[in-house]
Amino acid sequence: MNHILKIEDLHVTVGDKPILRGVNLTIQHGETHALMGPNGSGKSTLGLAIMGHPGYEITGGKIHLNDQDVLEMEADERARAGIFLAFQRPMAIPGVKMADFLRHATTNIRRPDRKEGEELIPMREFRKELKDRMAHLRMDVEFARRYVNDGFSGGEMKRAEILQLAMLQPKFAILDETDSGLDADAVRLASESIAEIGHQKMGLLIITHHDKLLEHNPPQFTHVMLGGRIVETGGPELADELHENGYDRIRKTYPEAEAANQEMLAEEATA
Amino acid sequence: MTTTTLSTFDAAGFESFLQERQEPQWLKEMRQQAWNQAEAMQWPERRHEEWLRTDIRMFQINRFGIPSSVASDVEPEQVAEAHQLRAGVETAGQIETLDSQIVNASLKETWKERGVLFGSLEDHCESQADLVREYLFSVTNTEHDKFAALHAATWAGGQILYVPRGVVIDEPLHIGSVLSGGGTDTTHTLVILEEGAEATLLHECNCLDPSASGLHLGGIEIIQKPNSHLRYVNLQEWGHKTFNFAMQKATVDRDATLQWTLAAMGSQLTKVNQSVDLVGPGANSQVNGVMFTEARQHIAYHTLQHHKAPNCRSDFLYKSAQQDNSRTVWRGMIKVDPEAQKTDGYQRNDNLVLSSNARADSIPGLEIEADDVRCTHGSTTAKVDEEQIFYARCRGFTRKEATRMIVSGFFQQIFDRITIDSVRDALGDAIARQVREYD
């Protein structure tokens, strides 16, 4: 089945400050999109708004997953509908083992109609699957016994997000700087893993500053965000250009968006 | 519901309570003395430091009766069904009480043959008079306050565990105390481990009707001789309209170890003094506590780790979570006497406040008179982080599932210290039952 995630004229504020000012983006299942842009342009906000973060108020626009109105759904319903966000800054949940967390999450995602208290995937079956996945991602099994993101290094957190992506197999995945905090080898491994898990099997929206993560995930579309809008969309060559030359051309071409971006950065600095 | 008129907590009531019981003279005198003390004492007031945070104006003792020996119409099966810690556990013996009356007491022959005593404390006041007289109220202070004195005067039923020198009981013993609606439990628990003895005691307090009122005036005394080892678990799930007052104290001698794990989940109002005295060199205590409150529950623990001898270690961890309009109070103290050099004392209380109307008072304390010691203490209070909940929801957890997971994660550190499966399961279930949904 061909799934579509469609974002139309999305406006988002935090407090009363506008962050997203009319984002349009359509992702087909199987496609890979790169989302780039300077700091403070609204990339992470887009990811969190798609997931339904309570701190981000939608003041206009629509998000649809096929014919479902995503904005009407709670965050867990969005996850169960098949939308995934790999967090830039994942949260620690002390005392909860990664394996237990994932077993519950995997059950809920695979059985979207599961009621609270109903049986989880059998332990033995789940353990085997998790072990296989981890071996595939070259992760130590010990990882599963650690508490969720608790005391993880930056790199370990990102690996853990990729493991979750692998287990949950969403229809659409937004990867928010899944390469930040990783050294060159780790980025290459992450890039390979993401390709293996998601390439052509999901709709991928990869938010990144660097080209390494895209090495194994060549995007069909590259979007540039500035001042809360997607100002330009191109093919893989646009990503290459931005990696090489930075955002100077973009900033000059879209002075209004650049002004909005500067304003947002200034407000962030004072806040 | 029993229809019999019960003795009330007044002079006439106490008189008929004494009359009704066929007890040795020494015990009658002991009770009378404690009663006279209680009569002479005022109820604690809020200006007393220990009661500053615990308001007992709602408590009216004349609503409750002194436990009587009148037969109850509750079936023994109902009492047994209330227990939670026995599932899947092969026990060496068990004692069940209902409103301080012994319903059932048993101990395997093999342990009887080796001199172990486990049964009704009342009965052993006759059959083991010398032993009981030596230890009863030798550890807790019956003059601490009016509640302590009333307990000493009116304790009924009760349990004794006596493990002779060198006897190692390798199966847990179980005590189940149950309150009926409106009932009173004045159980006194006396545990004596002779030199080199070992035992595990699972002790739980439950109710037939979770919403009914009740009164517990209790006492626990633990006496550990050198090199003895005790694991003691308390699960308190009295009904949520029950008043719970208790003095609980252990004295641990040379090279003995005590692991005392408690979960305070029930009652409307709890005020407990829990103390561990380390009286011989090398004594070691680990106290673990879980408190989880809801609605308007108020649970207050005043704890003491008293180092009276050198080279002792005391480890103390309480984790408390509060929801709705509930409140917990923890006031802890590590006291180190001048001769208790090389003390290693640790004290910590973590709180997870789950609603804006809930409250956690956490007051650690150190009183150190020796100069070569290591004592650390800490206290944290946090709210459930909305970002954690959102993160879990992005992984398909409902809000309630996320909250429940975060709360049980919070308590995990205590679970990690519990080595008995049935205890871990019962505690996990009790916590899960108590978690509600938050907006």
Side-chain angles (χ1 to χ4, degrees):
Chain A
M1 182 180 170
N2 191 29
H3 303 286
I4 299 178
L5 182 65
K6 194 166 187 185
I7 300 156
E8 292 172 275
D9 196 27
L10 190 69
H11 289 257
V12 173
T13 61
V14 174
D16 44 9
K17 293 180 185 114
I19 309 284
L20 298 188
R21 306 168 192 235
V23 173
N24 292 289
L25 181 63
T26 300
I27 304 173
Q28 303 263 3
H29 192 252
E31 289 177 351
T32 298
H33 293 238
L35 180 62
M36 306 182 72
N39 282 335
S41 57
K43 305 184 298 293
S44 291
T45 298
L46 178 62
L48 291 165
I50 293 171
M51 287 315 296
H53 190 291
Y56 295 81
E57 199 195 336
I58 312 292
T59 51
K62 295 180 208 167
I63 305 177
H64 277 86
L65 172 59
N66 303 328
D67 55 357
Q68 289 175 281
D69 183 352
V70 171
L71 295 178
E72 287 297 306
M73 300 158 89
E74 298 284 349
D76 49 288
E77 294 170 323
R78 299 180 195 202
R80 291 185 197 208
I83 310 175
F84 177 91
L85 171 67
F87 281 62
Q88 190 179 350
R89 279 183 287 273
M91 296 302 297
I93 307 179
V96 177
K97 289 192 182 78
M98 201 73 206
D100 295 330
F101 179 75
L102 266 174
R103 181 173 165 226
H104 199 147
T106 308
T107 308
N108 279 5
I109 301 283
R110 287 190 195 161
R111 298 216 314 265
D113 298 328
R114 174 181 175 271
K115 302 272 185 304
E116 280 170 27
E118 285 179 12
E119 290 295 302
L120 299 175
I121 300 169
M123 182 69 93
R124 187 184 297 259
E125 183 185 320
F126 178 76
R127 275 207 188 124
K128 191 185 173 306
E129 184 183 341
L130 183 63
K131 224 176 124 188
D132 290 349
R133 289 275 177 203
M134 292 178 77
H136 221 78
L137 294 171
R138 283 174 265 171
M139 293 173 78
D140 191 337
V141 283
E142 183 55 34
F143 212 74
R145 284 192 279 270
R146 290 174 64 186
Y147 296 150
V148 178
N149 295 320
D150 192 23
F152 282 24
S153 69
E156 286 172 330
M157 282 193 196
K158 298 301 163 79
R159 305 278 312 276
E161 293 292 290
I162 294 172
L163 175 63
Q164 297 186 45
L165 175 72
M167 290 302 294
L168 300 180
Q169 295 287 325
K171 297 186 182 87
F172 292 93
I174 304 146
L175 310 178
D176 190 1
E177 297 197 15
T178 302
D179 49 357
S180 67
L182 301 183
D183 61 31
D185 286 343
V187 173
R188 190 166 305 118
L189 181 59
S191 181
E192 280 172 26
S193 304
I194 292 164
E196 224 175 84
I197 300 161
H199 187 60
Q200 295 183 346
K201 292 179 215 139
M202 302 171 186
L204 291 176
L205 181 64
I206 301 178
I207 302 173
T208 181
H209 283 294
H210 310 287
D211 53 350
K212 287 280 178 242
L213 196 62
L214 300 176
E215 193 175 309
H216 297 273
N217 299 281
Q220 285 102 329
F221 302 94
T222 303
H223 309 278
V224 189
M225 195 172 247
L226 187 69
R229 285 194 299 124
I230 289 175
V231 292
E232 209 167 277
T233 292
E237 74 291 341
L238 179 56
D240 294 339
E241 180 215 317
L242 297 173
H243 286 133
E244 249 161 66
N245 305 325
Y247 296 104
D248 284 354
R249 179 183 68 75
I250 299 283
R251 288 182 200 276
K252 280 188 198 127
T253 318
Y254 307 96
E256 267 175 53
E258 169 61 8
N261 211 77
Q262 292 302 331
E263 194 187 305
M264 287 183 342
L265 277 177
E267 271 174 6
E268 212 172 281
T270 52
Chain B
M1 226 8 140
T2 48
T3 49
T4 329
T5 320
L6 296 169
S7 306
T8 46
F9 280 89
D10 52 27
F14 180 67
E15 196 51 44
S16 71
F17 168 78
L18 275 188
Q19 294 289 324
E20 189 186 85
R21 306 171 74 83
Q22 309 299 313
E23 291 184 328
Q25 193 57 30
W26 65 267
L27 182 54
K28 281 185 195 281
E29 282 167 17
M30 202 179 200
R31 290 186 184 282
Q32 187 65 56
Q33 203 185 343
W35 181 263
N36 295 344
Q37 272 166 4
E39 289 273 80
M41 289 166 120
Q42 300 296 316
W43 292 108
E45 288 175 34
R46 293 193 85 169
R47 59 191 164 83
H48 300 137
E49 162 60 25
E50 253 185 53
W51 298 86
L52 208 56
R53 296 164 190 86
T54 302
D55 187 353
I56 52 166
R57 282 174 299 181
M58 293 292 286
F59 172 66
Q60 291 176 299
I61 200 165
N62 58 19
R63 290 197 181 162
F64 301 97
I66 302 177
S68 83
S69 54
V70 176
S72 153
D73 53 9
V74 175
E75 299 295 325
E77 295 78 43
Q78 278 178 273
V79 176
E81 277 166 19
H83 306 323
Q84 305 176 57
L85 298 179
R86 234 165 54 190
V89 180
E90 175 75 26
T91 58
Q94 40 191 285
I95 305 171
E96 294 172 276
T97 69
L98 174 69
D99 298 342
S100 255
Q101 281 191 55
I102 304 287
V103 175
N104 162 41
S106 65
L107 176 68
K108 282 186 180 170
E109 280 304 321
T110 59
W111 302 114
K112 282 186 192 165
E113 284 160 13
R114 301 187 62 184
V116 174
L117 305 175
F118 184 62
S120 153
L121 180 60
E122 264 173 18
D123 296 348
H124 286 78
C125 287
E126 295 259 15
S127 59
Q128 299 286 340
D130 290 346
L131 180 77
V132 175
R133 278 185 86 167
E134 186 183 347
Y135 291 110
L136 183 62
F137 295 113
S138 68
V139 174
T140 53
N141 178 9
T142 59
E143 296 173 38
H144 182 78
D145 58 23
K146 192 170 178 116
F147 292 106
L150 281 173
H151 165 71
T154 65
W155 72 267
Q159 305 89 13
I160 184 172
L161 168 64
Y162 173 82
V163 188
R165 197 185 173 100
V167 174
V168 175
I169 307 180
D170 54 7
E171 296 163 321
L173 297 139
H174 177 260
I175 296 173
S177 301
V178 175
L179 264 173
S180 71
T184 300
D185 175 289
T186 55
T187 292
H188 190 82
T189 305
L190 183 59
V191 177
I192 304 145
L193 264 61
E194 293 285 6
E195 195 161 344
E198 285 186 39
T200 297
L201 183 56
L202 311 180
H203 187 170
E204 58 183 307
C205 303
N206 295 291
C207 53
L208 294 177
D209 176 0
S211 63
S213 70
L215 170 64
H216 173 70
L217 279 177
I220 296 171
E221 294 183 283
I222 296 169
I223 296 108
Q224 284 191 252
K225 298 294 176 65
N227 206 28
S228 64
H229 304 287
L230 177 67
R231 284 192 300 178
Y232 185 39
V233 175
N234 283 123
L235 172 62
Q236 186 268 98
E237 282 217 86
W238 297 128
H240 285 201
K241 291 208 177 86
T242 296
F243 290 89
N244 181 39
F245 304 100
M247 299 288 288
Q248 307 180 341
K249 188 168 175 181
T251 168
V252 186
D253 209 335
R254 178 176 47 79
D255 295 329
T257 63
L258 167 65
Q259 187 196 50
W260 187 345
T261 302
L262 66 91
M265 318 285 288
S267 83
Q268 172 178 338
L269 184 147
T270 284
K271 157 75 168 53
V272 170
N273 291 64
Q274 187 201 28
S275 312
V276 176
D277 281 7
L278 301 156
V279 300
N284 187 329
S285 70
Q286 184 196 66
V287 174
N288 309 311
V290 166
M291 291 191 244
F292 193 9
T293 53
E294 63 166 14
R296 295 197 167 271
Q297 282 185 293
H298 177 108
I299 295 189
Y301 268 77
H302 293 251
T303 69
L304 173 65
Q305 299 150 263
H306 194 162
H307 287 255
K308 295 181 165 179
N311 293 302
C312 293
R313 192 163 174 272
S314 69
D315 180 3
F316 179 100
L317 174 67
Y318 266 33
K319 303 271 258 184
S320 325
Q322 305 81 14
Q323 49 191 2
D324 306 328
N325 297 291
S326 66
R327 181 176 177 187
T328 64
V329 177
W330 170 70
R331 194 164 185 351
M333 180 65 74
I334 300 181
K335 207 170 164 185
V336 182
D337 289 353
E339 55 275 25
Q341 299 294 358
K342 304 281 181 196
T343 283
D344 183 354
Y346 178 74
Q347 182 189 56
R348 185 179 177 95
N349 171 226
D350 295 323
N351 294 282
L352 186 64
V353 182
L354 294 160
S355 103
S356 52
N357 295 321
R359 177 170 166 182
D361 293 12
S362 178
I363 310 145
L366 299 174
E367 224 178 270
I368 299 171
E369 291 183 76
D371 51 22
D372 183 13
V373 303
R374 190 177 73 175
C375 285
T376 46
H377 63 117
S379 150
T380 64
T381 299
K383 290 183 182 310
V384 162
D385 190 337
E386 278 302 318
E387 296 293 334
Q388 279 180 322
I389 297 209
F390 177 68
Y391 182 69
R393 293 191 82 177
C394 285
R395 299 297 180 254
F397 288 76
T398 63
R399 187 175 186 83
K400 189 170 185 177
E401 287 174 329
T403 308
R404 184 174 291 165
M405 172 178 65
I406 291 164
V407 170
S408 51
F410 170 75
F411 288 121
Q412 186 59 40
Q413 213 179 342
I414 300 280
F415 283 67
D416 287 344
R417 293 174 168 215
I418 300 173
T419 48
I420 305 159
D421 287 343
S422 73
V423 174
R424 240 193 335 251
D425 293 347
L427 196 50
D429 290 349
I431 288 168
R433 269 202 302 279
Q434 198 117 314
V435 176
R436 61 178 75 251
E437 196 146 10
Y438 306 91
D439 302 314

